[in-house]
Structure formats: structure tokens, C-alpha cells
Amino acid sequence: MFHIYCPYCEEHREEEEFHPKGQAHIARPEDPDACSDEAWGDYLFFRDNPRGIHHEMWLHAVGCRKFFNITRHTVSYEILETYKMGEQPTVGAEHLAREEKTAREGKTDSVQVAEGGQQAVGASDAALASVKGAQA
Amino acid sequence: MSQTAAQPNRLAQGGQVDRTQALTFTFNGHSYTGHPGDTLASALLANGVDLVNRSFKYSRPRGIVAAGAEEPNAVVQLGATEATQVPNVRATQQALYDGLVASSTNGWPDVQRDIMRWVGKLGSPFMPPGFYYKTFMAPASMWMTYEKYIRKTAGLGRSPTQPDPDIYDHMHRHCDLLVVGAGPAGLSAALTAARAGARVILCDEQETMGGSLLDTRETLDDRPAAHWLQATLAALAEYDNVTLLPRTTAHGYHDHHFVTLHERRTEHLGDSAPSRAGHRQSRSRLHRVRAGQVVLATGAHERPLVYANNDVPGNLLAGAVSTYIRRYGVVPGRKLVLSTSNDHAYRAALDWQEAGREVAAIVDARTAPEGDLVAQAKAAGIRVITGSAVIEAKGAQRVSSARVAAIDVDAFTVTGKVETLECDTIASSGGYSPVIHLASHTGARPVWSDDIIGFVPTTVAGVTAAGGAHGVYPLGEVLADGVEAGANAVTALGFATTVNDADLPRVAPRHEGPACALFQVPHEKATLRAPKQFVDLQNDVTAAAIEVATLEGFESIEHVKRYTAMGFGTDQGKLGNINGMAVAARCLGQSIPETGTTVFRPNYTPVTFGAVVGRHCRELFDPERYTPMQAWHVAQGAEFEDVGQWKRPWYYPRKRAGGELETMAEAVARECRAVREGVGILDASTLGKIDIQGPDAREFLGRIYTNKWQKLAPGRVRYGLMCGDDGMVMDDGTTSCLAENHFLMTTTTGNAAPVLEWLELWHQTEWPELDVYFTSVTDHWATMTVTGPEARKLLTDMTDIDLDREAFKFMDWREGHVAGVPARVFRISFTGELAFEINVQAHYAMHVWEALFERGKHFDLTPYGTETMHVLRAEKGFIIVGQDTDGSVTPEDLGMHWAIGYDKPFPWIGKRALTRSDTRRENRKQLVGLRPKDPSVVLEEGAQIVFDPNHAIPMPMVGHVTSSYYSPTLESGFALAVVKGGHQRMGESVYLPMADGRIHEADIVGTQFVDPQGERQHV
Amino acid sequence: MSNTVHVYDARADHATVTAESPLAYSFQRSGMPAPGEASGEESRAVIGERAFLGHLILRGGAIVLDEALREVLGIGLPGRPNSLTVDADGQRSVQWLSPDEWLLIVPGDETFGLETRLRAHLGGSHVAIVDVSAGQTLIELSGEAAHEVLMKSTVYDVDPHAFTVGKGVTTLFAKTSVILRRPDESRWELIVRRSFADYVYRWLLDAGAEYGIGVVREDRHESQ
């Protein structure tokens, strides 16, 4: 049972008050008619499922009824931050990869970085490459 | 010392039982007495009851081994009546009360004469690990038969067959610090945190708080530890920021310091919870605790040594022997042999001797034990045999002697001659295992410590283990560790603490020599040929079984565990896991840390279903939502249907001439005719209603609905379809323009909350720039639908609204009064007949409803329920989202092209998906009407449709029936269905093969069965 | 008043029209044990309905709404999330529900007039005001065990030291939702949706049984 900080209510609340709404930062294409069938299908149906950092959208359903985002570690279930709709996360895969790399010294079960998508928010290409390299 | 005659093992003095009161109880049909302060286990031991159960697999006789939650054998069935049966109760944790009735859970037909006994006697060749897998595997069809008998012989307790007379409840708690365990570490942690002003919850699973202080030989401030214990508990009770929960087991540690506690509130008082001041009280209570920090002061469980026949009654844990003597005044035998690997266990022999019974010998695996307790034992004249261990117990239903020999621990061999010592009790101690179960629930893996010869927990942030729970055992250090843990925890939360060593009670220094790492004791014979050496008593797992498992190639401890069933069941490996791992490690030639550990899952000890459910049962199981007219519906004898959480009138059976109630079919036919020919009324208050205000409201509607909203004028109403962005229909309803920037949306009953959430989702995440607000007004407005050809006549004299067909057209709404109450009236129709939907504030709903019936007497105004509503709407081809659609149906599939605004400027939700190749397929399942060839047939909803009934099985299924009813108007069954390419198949025949072999034939027709031109609603 | 929004007085004349509170059916069906009746001892928890109050939902920007409220009602919006402002005689209150949503509760007969004056004051500002008076009701809970009744019912922390006077939250209550607030030292207020009111009432009677819960009738209640 999570204990979630609602960035609008400005306090921690019990998980039962919230609804999870899936991966965060899935923007609706500006011009849907210009999307190929495949691109539209990706927008509708395809989501990341990383082992590690995940940005998720939640709704404070029995509370302020606001949508907001959570950065959560999918292994430890630790919630690293919550932030309002329209804001960007400060904790990303890069952050965690760096931390874990230092801690683990060479073990290979690492934070996964999803291909593309919003998983890489806040991470530079170089950092991503280094994380991927560490996994190989 | 002497003992009372009735309780041969009860001491005349000592312990914390009240000998002035006798409690009578029954075990396996025999009556015994005990005292307040006893557990069932201590009372059984006091009465000399050796045999408490038959073992799970081999059906061997078993006695009490432990004194706490780790007891593997004395798991009993409790309950004096059928309704109060409780399975899986550990006798060591069940307080004695007058009239308690308990029985063994294993043993068929009874515990003394056990049919399975031969299995245990004949020994291991008959039941190797994986016995059930190997023996009963073939033929597979026989498994169900085998299982019945295996289950019966296995016992495991049973549920009551009658309703539980008790209630259970939940309590939500929040605290800064939760301390689990009220032994010396937990008490000092709690006291430290309490002094700092933190909100503290201290829980302990035992009847009395105190943990090891309840039976320790040590002194605090030169007085018996009980003095400090009482003073500390009294001090804690004074703090209003401290909640003390005795008899409360922390059984599960969940995410983010959410811990569930099971408080047994009345289990010590009787078979069923006694009422208090005329009120029922809950038998047990689940506390759902959200803590800022948690201190796990759960102590350590003593590990038994694994030697041959170590399961014969009379083999106990050394610590349990001390507990029974010191806490309950019960000596569980006459002559003791103690087998130990450490100093601490010596106290069992000292306590035994002080109780006036004989100690045959202390057998110490160490060659040169040298601690203070060793010296005390020697000074007391007790024989100490060093470098040796009990290698085998003798005896059938009770220990009769111990075979003792010198051993080489490292070489795992017996090195000396075997000496047989006569005794009836063997106490053993192989050291201590920190109780790491709760820490393990957090996902943190324990790590092996050679210092304490055990696993110590690692923890997630915010959780601290203190005292024995992380391998700190000397009392003085435990107290200091508790203080430090408590201080650190609340400091992390921002409380100021001052830790003063002078606050700690003084503990007399005591020297303890190092322990040796002994788990399985070698025998003269190899493990596979030696008498059974039990590792897990509850699941009957022997050292030989583990060895066989490793020989068969199981190397991972997780696989060994599953193959042998070690650590399963209610026991969760409390006594056996470490020994089992040690055996596996020895067989695999590796260390224990290399072998790993198994993790522990919730629950630590069993929790009753009653406690899990709490008050969410029976009439409080789920909310029942009522409309303001509920009392009227009930008074009219309506039958109700669940629609989401709403109770909606389904139909209103009337009494027939003979006094009998109409059948549902009769009532529905009558209600249908009333609406088609006269006037009926429906309570439609459950429809979702959303007030939408803002300059961009109209634009927003255009984006969220598939059809156009730009030109809807105030005073007008429009039907709308809502899709997901996948193009599939998710809701429908009417939306009225109340004013230029003000709309009232209706949703289907079940979708009111999801639709509001949907609107908020798009507004908050994609289009925050649109100035619009949404507010649920579902419960504010009551809605009553007056419909039928006579509807206008009925209302004319009741309202100031001009009901003229030109002044108030179909799909208009008007404001005025009905029965003297301000009302909005909407000319919308879900029946196809002339209809007025009257909305009034819910406070006045009953007033208006009753006024309508008063006036309605002249028109035989007929209330109708949801079933009639369904028939009438289906006759008109009006869909029900969720019944005729299932998340894979587009507006085009429904034939509702007229409700799709492809040319709207904004790419509205669902639009793009409607041009994907998949949604453009020609053979999509499309909504059609079906007319059975035989008009008396009402097709089954959900029935599959085929084109060719003679096709070989499996037949290609091309659709299914979504709605099907008998129409009194058509005098025929009719249905709505989805059929592949159905829109192009009008007039074709389809077939519906039924489970009973019949095949129905039906014609594909349009979806509008009654008044296809839609004229009647415009009259 | 702007004609872009349909402002409408849907309150009937209570002198000629029978109004039923959301709990009317529940009182009839489940009874109203008077305080002290069940156990013969003093009730440690007491509930009562404050029926027919005016409940208005305000949506919009905090600054404009605060200004309008101060002008029209004499009290401002609460400054913090999850808090409550109550006027001097305790009859009118505004509660934060979300960053752009507040609940205004006033005597029932003031509802429409207040909405009208607020709208007049707010002019062309983008706000929404929605009357939800009949869609919910207010239940008062008091007594020394009041917070224990709540602990059995809601996941929110209702320790009186943590849930201080002036706090108000939307949270779970058993299997439904509730607006829970503490207007003063002695009372808790539960605002429940009409269709769920019976469930909440039955839950309260059950949870309060061990504290000898009693129900006060409104006429007696108001004279307290």
C-alpha cells in the first residue's frame, strides 16, 4: 500500500485515494490526421515496462481530483518524486543508473532504459549510451 | 517443591499464574484444569499431556516444543460450538479461559489411534521427498480420489460450517514510530521515542508485554526484571502519545511502512466475544498502521538441534523449558538432558534444578565452555559433558532416554562411545535466529553473520531492527540498542532526543563464552540411514529428505524448499529454515551464505478471514446507493436490480386477482403496455449528471463527443456519443444547452464517475487552456420520466410549462414548476414514446413523485422498472453502452453514422482511430436486429451466431446476441446482436446453436422494431 | 448576472412543499437511538444531520474568488490546501477542495441569493458556481470517542492532534468518499453524497455501537 505525496494537497495520502493511470508524458499527437496508422497505434497501445525508474500518471481520485505524475522505482516501489501536471521530472533513469552503478560495481542486473519514449526524460544521450553500455 | 495432584507438572509456587482460580478446559474430549495466566500449552503441560498432534506426513506423535509463535506441533482446532470453530491456533499463543474446547487438527480417526501411524513406523523409504508428486502422479484422473484421502489424513484444521457469531473490525492508525515487540529492546525504543514527543505504537504478540523479561534470570537495577518491566509499562501508559497494543501480532509489512497488526481482543475471554455494556465488541481487530519509522524488536527464535528422533514428545527448546518453569510454574518433565551449543541455554538446566527436578546432564558441543552460566551449573552440581551432543532420542510416545556421544562438529562425525542417559525430557539449543520475517516482507534480503551464527536483517530506509532481531543478545546491550534505535528513528523524523545512559537500568555484567555452529548433529549412521532427524516439524521434513533433494540435483535452496515443503504452511520456517539451509549447505559442500536464504512472506502467523474482512460484510459489504424515491419503491413491493452500486427498481409485481404476485414476465408485459398505450413513470435519478460551465464548454463538448455541438441553442438537447481515442464507444447520453456557456451532460448510470474523470483527464492533461469546469450534480437532481401517449395529459394540470407540441418540441427543455416545485423538464425519450423527464432538487423528489401518482390515478399511471425500460428501448434500437457494446465497437459498427462529425475542425477524441485500417474493415461485427423465426423464442443473451449450422465443429462464430427480450407489442421475441458484416446482410438468416442441441434460426433485420420512423416521440 | 450561464433558484417553498433530507429514509428504516438510550450510559459518540443547508461548489481562480467572497460573505478563501474558514457565528464556511475548487456551506435559504451576488461581483471572470445542496448532506459527529469512530472508518489520520481544528479533507469513508472537517474543538463534520448517505449512516451506527452512539434530532441539535 503506497503512501503518496499529492503535489496539490501538499501532503501524503493513502494509496486507496488514488487511481494509477499508466505511463506519464504520453502526449496526444498535435495533428492526429497526419499520423500514420502505425504511429497512431503506438500512441494508443504501446507503453514502456522498465525495471527501474518509471514515470507514471496518477489521479488523486478521492481527494482533489487532480492528475499528477510520480517517478517510481519499479523494483523497490520507492517513490522518488511527485510533480504536477505540466512539470518535468527531476529524477530520471540517468540519475538512478549513476547511483546504482556506483553501488553495484559491475553486476549486470541494472536499471533498464526504455527505448525512446519519456523514460529518458532528463537524461542526455551520452548518459543513456553509458547506461546501455553498462548493461551489455 | 511439590505439585498439585490435578496438575502433576504444576509447581506450588512461581510463575505468573493465579493458582487461586481454576479454569476448566477440554482437549481431545478430556477435561483438565488450568489457571488464569496460562496458555493452552502451559496448561496441557501442567496436566502432563504429552501428545498434542499427529505429524502432517508421517503421522508421528508430537508434543509441545516451544512456548511462542514458533510452535510447530501444537496447532489446534478451537471452538466449543460448530459456529465458533477456529483452525490453526497455536496452543502456545492461546490464553486459557474457562470452558475452552480444543482438539488436535491432525490424526484420523483420532490422535491416539492413527491409521497413518504405519507410515511413520515404516520409515523413510515409504515417503521420500516428493512422495506425493512421485506416487500419485499417475493416472492423472485418479488425483481427485487420492487427494480426498490425503487431505483427510493430513488434517490441517477445518472451517466452521455455520455462520460466525462474532464480528471483527478494522482500525486505521498513523504514528511516527511503530515498535514491534515489547521485550527489552522494544520497550526502551518506545520509551525513548515517547519522551521525545513522538506518536508511538507499541505492539506485542503475547498476552503480556515484556518478551524475554518475563522469564529472564537476570536482574535490572539489582531487582527482578519484572519490576523494571512494570514500571516501564506504567510509564508508557502515562503518555497520551503512546498506544499500547498487547495480544497484537504485526503479521505483514507492506509498502512504505504500512504494517498490518492483528489484535486478538477477546480470544482470551471465551469462545465468542462477550458483549460489553449491551454492545457487541469485535473478537479481533485489524490495525492498518501507517508509520513514519518502524523499529523491529521482534527478538530471536531459539534453534533446536537436529538429532535422531528429535520429534518424540519430550523434546523441547531449551528456552521454552525456562519459559514454562519461570512464567507458568510448569515443569514439563521429571528428568532433563540439555543438549546445547551455547551458554545461554544453560539457564534451562538451572531453572529445572531450582524447580526441584533432576538434571541428568548438560551436553555441550563445545570442548571447553567457560561462561558464567557454565560455572553456575557446575557449582550447582550439574554434570556437564563437553565436546558432545545428544545424537538420538529414545522413546515412542515420550522420551525415555537420550543417546549421548562425543562428536566432531567440523568433521560431522561421532567420535566417541555412545552413553545412554535415562530422562523424559531433552531440551536443545543450537543458538538463536533473529526473527527477520517482517524485515523480509519489505523485500530486503537478510545476510549471514558468523558472529551470531544466524541471518541478520537488512532493512529499507526507515526500518531499524533492534535487540535480538538483529543479533544483539546480552540484556544490557539489548536495552541500549533499543534506546539507540528509538532515538535514531524519531531523530530522523525531526524530533529532538536526549539519550542518557543513566536512564538505562543497570544489568549485572555476565560473561558468555562463544557459541559453536552446530545445526544437524552427526549420528553413528549416515543421515540417510539414521533414524529420522527432523528439520521442519510442521511439514515433516527430515535432514535425509534435504540430502535426497540435493542428491537428486536440487541445488537452489528455493527448489529444495519447494521439493521438500520445508518452511511451508502456517509455520513459515520459524524453527526449521536455518537448520534446513545448514543441512543443504553441508550436502552441497558450501557455506550457508553461499546456499542463500529463503524469504519470508506475510503473514507471520495466520490471520482469520473475519479480521481480514472486518465490518465489510453482510449489510455493510458494499455501499447501496438509493434514489430519493427508495422508500416508495420498497413500499410498492418493487423487485430491485443492482446497477453498479445503485439499487434500481427492476419491476413492480402487482397482486393478481387470486392474490398471488405477478411473475416477472407478466409484470413487464403490463408495464410495457402501459407505456405504449397509456402512461408510465420511471425513476431515472441514477443517470449521471454533470454541470459544465465556461466560455469553452461548447468547444470542449465538440472535442469529447463524436457529433457536433457548435449550433446547439439554449433550450435544446442533443444526444451524444463518446469514444476513447481508440475509436471505441465508451458512453452515450444527452447534453442540454442551459445557456450559451452552460451545459448539463447526462451519462449512463454506471459511467457517471468514469465520464467525469474522463473529462477532467483531457482538461487537465491536454487542454488546460480551455476555460471550462465540470461538477457532478448526479445526486442533486432527481429525475422522473413520464412517458406514453397520455403523458402530456397527465402533466398539463400539474405544471406552468406550456406543453404544447409546438411550444415545447421533442429535444427541447423548459424551466418551470411541477407540483409546485421548481423543475427543469426535458423532452427526451428512451422509450420512443412521448416523454417528459422532470428534474427537481432531490429534497422534493418524493413530493413531486407522489403528486404525480395522485394525479396519475386518472390515467392509471404505471411505475415501470429497468426491465421494462430495457424492452422498450431495445424495441427502438437504442443501445445500452456496456451491454450492446463491449469496448470493441465503433459508432460506425452501431450504424450511428449520423452521430459522427467527420468534418468538425478539431480532431476530436476517437476520430483518427475511425480511419485506421482495422476500424475500416468490412467484416467488422456490426449491430443488427434479429427476429427469431419462431416468435415464441427469446434468444439467449450472449448466444453465439453462425452462418452455416451444418458446418463441421468448430463452427466459425460470426457474432453474438447482445440484448434479447420478449416484446408484448410485437408479440414476439426479438434481439439486438453484433454480426460480422451485418449491415450488408439484412434479410439473411443466421443460426444460433444452443448448448442443449437446439439450433435457433433468426432473420437479420434493422434495429428499430417499433415505430421505425420515430413518429411517436414527436407527438 | 451573466446570461451566458443559467442561474436558477430550484429551492422550493418549504412551507408548501414537503422536503425530505437525504437521511429521512434512513432514520425511518434504521431508527435513531437517542444518546444514552442503548446502553444506559452516556454516549461517547453522537451524530446528527444538519439538513437542508446550502452547498455551493466554487470553481475558479483563488484571487478573484477570495475577493468576491470577502466582499459578499465577509470571509475569505482558506489560504492553505485541506483547510477551512468559518465565519464568526459558525453558520457559513468555505473549504478548500482542490487548487481551483471550494465548498461553500451556508444556511439553505441564503443559497440562491449568495450565488446571485457572487456572480454579480465576479462579472465576466471565468468561474463556475454550482448548487449541489440537495446532492449531499452534513452529518455532525461529536463525543469523546468521535475520532475512534472515524479511525474505524477512514484511512485519513484523524488523531485530534494531527487533524486540527480548521482542517478539512476529501477522503475515503468505509467504501465511499466523504468530506471530513473539524470546524471546532468539539465537532467533526462529514459531508456525504445523498445516494451514499444511508450506507454512511448505517456504517456510523455500527462503528459507534461500542461507544453507545446516539443520534440527535435536528431540532434538539440546533438548540445545543
Side-chain angles (χ1 to χ4, degrees), chain B residues 836-892:
Chain B
F836 298 91
E837 279 197 1
I838 302 162
N839 279 19
V840 296
Q841 277 198 11
H843 292 325
Y844 318 119
M846 192 70 109
H847 174 93
V848 175
W849 184 265
E850 287 183 331
L852 286 166
F853 275 94
E854 185 60 32
R855 174 74 184 149
K857 280 178 195 164
H858 310 291
F859 302 88
D860 191 22
L861 175 63
T862 302
Y864 66 95
T866 49
E867 188 66 17
T868 294
M869 176 190 84
H870 276 255
V871 174
L872 297 173
R873 65 90 199 174
E875 287 175 345
K876 289 292 300 170
F878 296 147
I879 59 156
I880 300 256
V881 172
Q883 175 162 346
D884 300 300
T885 70
D886 61 3
S888 70
V889 178
T890 68
E892 302 255 16

Side-chain angles (χ1 to χ4, degrees), chain C residues 16-83:
Chain C
T16 58
V17 168
T18 312
E20 278 194 356
S21 85
L23 281 176
Y25 174 56
S26 306
F27 292 151
Q28 172 206 325
R29 185 165 78 136
S30 303
M32 301 177 77
E37 180 185 286
S39 60
E41 297 170 6
E42 199 179 335
S43 292
R44 297 174 60 211
V46 174
I47 55 173
E49 185 186 17
R50 300 272 318 275
F52 307 123
L53 297 175
H55 298 240
L56 291 174
I57 295 289
L58 308 183
R59 303 290 305 264
I63 292 167
V64 290
L65 283 171
D66 181 63
E67 196 184 286
L69 266 182
R70 285 179 195 281
E71 186 70 25
V72 172
L73 204 59
I75 54 173
L77 293 180
R80 299 277 311 145
N82 302 310
S83 58

Side-chain angles (χ1 to χ4, degrees), chain B residues 333-380:
Chain B
R334 310 203 67 81
K335 194 168 180 183
L336 175 78
V337 170
L338 170 67
S339 188
T340 182
S341 66
N342 60 78
D343 275 17
H344 196 67
Y346 273 65
R347 64 194 189 112
L350 293 167
D351 290 334
W352 189 278
Q353 193 180 53
E354 285 166 20
R357 305 273 169 107
E358 191 181 342
V359 178
I362 295 173
V363 190
D364 195 322
R366 299 169 296 180
T367 48
E370 36 92 20
D372 289 351
L373 282 169
V374 179
Q376 269 186 54
K378 287 178 178 167

Side-chain angles (χ1 to χ4, degrees), chain B residues 136-148:
Chain B
F136 295 115
M137 232 159 63
S141 59
M142 280 299 285
W143 172 250
M144 298 301 280
T145 311
Y146 296 141
E147 199 197 4
K148 250 184 264 172

Side-chain angles (χ1 to χ4, degrees), chain A residues 13-114:
Chain A
R13 297 291 194 96
E14 296 296 324
E15 181 181 331
E16 289 128 297
E17 293 185 359
F18 299 87
H19 293 172
K21 305 303 288 185
Q23 186 176 341
H25 305 292
I26 305 284
R28 190 174 196 251
E30 286 286 329
D31 184 1
D33 292 330
C35 288
S36 66
D37 274 9
E38 193 186 352
W40 193 251
D42 281 349
Y43 154 68
L44 286 180
F45 304 122
F46 286 84
R47 297 294 182 268
D48 297 334
N49 184 22
R51 182 179 189 276
I53 294 278
H54 195 221
H55 303 293
E56 300 167 342
M57 183 160 73
W58 286 67
L59 166 65
H60 194 180
V62 184
C64 66
R65 301 195 296 117
K66 293 295 180 203
F67 291 81
F68 63 98
N69 295 318
I70 284 179
T71 305
R72 187 171 69 89
H73 196 293
T74 59
V75 177
S76 69
Y77 288 6
E78 192 183 350
I79 292 174
L80 300 162
E81 63 177 338
T82 62
Y83 51 100
K84 293 177 181 176
M85 201 46 58
E87 295 178 353
Q88 290 300 313
T90 60
V91 182
E94 180 195 41
H95 164 95
L96 198 80
R98 203 187 306 120
E99 237 174 41
E100 291 209 346
K101 205 175 158 190
T102 327
R104 273 182 303 99
E105 297 180 350
K107 284 202 184 172
T108 52
D109 59 329
S110 161
V111 175
Q112 284 177 3
V113 179

